[in-house]
Amino acid sequence: MVLEIENAQPLVMTIAGLDPSGGAGIIADVKAFLHFECTPVAVLTSITFQNSEAVFGAIHESGDSLRAQILPLIQEKRIAALKLGMMPTTEIILEIAGFIRERQLPAPVIDPVFQSSSGYDLIEPDAIDVLRRDLMPLARLITPNIPEAEILTGVTIEDEQTMHEAAERLREMGARAVLVKGGHLIREFGIDASPIEAVDVLHAAGGETVFRGEWIEAPSVRGTGCMLSSAIAACLGQGLSLAESVRAAKNYVADAIRFVQETESDQVSP
Ligand code: PLP
């Protein structure tokens, strides 16, 4: 007998990789879901081997394993929102796309995960084309950083104008909405500007929104892309609009970065 437990919280699913150190991936996703009072369910795409310094390797799940993880969950409960993180192989991407196309899973918030901050490839090169072709047209939102947006579109991003161009291109490729995150642009081009501004651009059916905030420098913070996309999915699961979800998620990540920055400055002060 299946015991149906009443659950007032929206059920939000992450399909992502395990970073055993907890800085990024599925652990960061679950933390964000809990913060926004959602009940997490988590489907694993890959076990990576890493610590705060580097990624040392990974063993990926198969398409069959993904199916076997997802089916029992969706047979029992309705998933209110879906976040997709590390999807390392063509097989995994096609399996997930099938579930979404058959409406067994909701349109996802996709965080394209291509490389770790330390430079380790987290997706096989041929899978990027499949992500672009088979998954992006199903996206509720896609949240690339600058290098990921450049790889997906071929647009060279140098400033705010080119961020908009890339966002438009990604919408033309079929994503319902696109959030291009300017963090990497600021790291490369704006370091001597004061105060440094963090700029993200959102393109959606309702128009364009530019989010501006103070850039908070905390080089050791990892997994901010995971946190942001999961927080957005959680807020969408709670019934917030897309723009409200992005705003709330950005505040959540800014607070997390500030917390690390304060902890680090406490450690260096005498
Ligand atoms: N490992 C996993 C499983 C991830 O999902 C991600 C990013 O999404 C990373 C590593 C990379 O994180 P970082 O950019 O902080 O190195």
Side-chain angles (χ1 to χ4, degrees):
M1 187 180 87
V2 178
L3 188 63
E4 193 53 48
I5 299 166
E6 268 311 308
N7 188 354
Q9 293 192 342
L11 199 64
V12 182
M13 177 183 280
T14 170
I15 304 182
L18 175 69
D19 164 7
S21 74
I26 227 157
I27 296 180
D29 297 344
V30 166
K31 284 202 254 181
F33 293 171
L34 294 173
H35 176 86
F36 288 97
E37 298 183 357
C38 294
T39 298
V41 283
V43 170
L44 194 62
T45 57
S46 179
I47 301 174
T48 70
F49 317 126
Q50 54 181 308
N51 57 21
S52 61
E53 295 292 320
V55 180
F56 304 100
I59 294 178
H60 305 323
E61 295 296 313
S62 64
D64 284 348
S65 157
L66 265 277
R67 173 157 285 267
Q69 291 180 74
I70 294 169
L71 269 178
L73 300 174
I74 59 176
Q75 278 163 1
E76 213 171 40
K77 297 263 168 61
R78 191 187 79 83
I79 307 295
L82 173 64
K83 174 251 158 85
L84 303 178
M86 178 181 173
M87 293 173 287
T89 65
T90 295
E91 192 182 320
I92 286 175
I93 293 170
L94 290 178
E95 194 64 47
I96 297 167
F99 275 107
I100 299 165
R101 261 198 307 270
E102 291 156 19
R103 297 184 184 275
Q104 293 175 289
L105 286 175
V109 174
I110 303 179
D111 178 27
V113 175
F114 292 168
Q115 230 185 28
S116 70
S117 305
S118 56
Y120 188 92
D121 285 335
L122 296 168
I123 186 166
E124 293 174 356
D126 61 337
I128 295 180
D129 273 344
V130 182
L131 174 78
R132 201 190 277 116
R133 191 194 61 216
D134 289 78
L135 208 47
M136 258 177 48
L138 306 172
R140 171 81 186 81
L141 174 71
I142 181 161
T143 63
N145 60 27
I146 300 283
E148 291 156 356
E150 288 186 325
I151 289 168
L152 287 168
T153 60
V155 173
T156 302
I157 301 178
E158 291 172 327
D159 50 24
E160 213 173 301
Q161 175 57 33
T162 40
M163 283 172 76
H164 283 288
E165 266 174 53
E168 216 30 60
R169 198 72 66 86
L170 287 162
R171 286 249 295 146
E172 283 161 16
M173 291 176 182
R176 233 194 284 171
V178 179
L179 180 71
V180 178
K181 301 173 293 186
H184 286 71
L185 193 65
I186 283 138
R187 270 182 209 271
E188 284 170 36
F189 297 98
I191 282 304
D192 51 356
S194 178
I196 302 165
E197 224 181 22
V199 178
D200 298 335
V201 304
L202 174 67
H203 282 221
E208 297 168 15
T209 313
V210 179
F211 296 89
R212 297 181 193 280
E214 191 194 339
W215 174 253
I216 316 161
E217 185 64 30
S220 65
V221 181
R222 296 181 46 248
T224 51
C226 305
M227 286 186 222
L228 185 80
S229 52
S230 301
I232 295 171
C235 292
L236 290 171
Q238 288 287 11
L240 268 60
S241 73
L242 183 62
E244 287 167 342
S245 298
V246 172
R247 203 172 294 281
K250 281 180 61 64
N251 288 338
Y252 168 71
V253 175
D255 285 349
I257 298 173
R258 245 180 243 113
F259 178 77
V260 172
Q261 192 194 41
E262 282 164 17
T263 317
E264 282 174 354
S265 65
D266 284 352
Q267 281 166 355
V268 289
S269 50

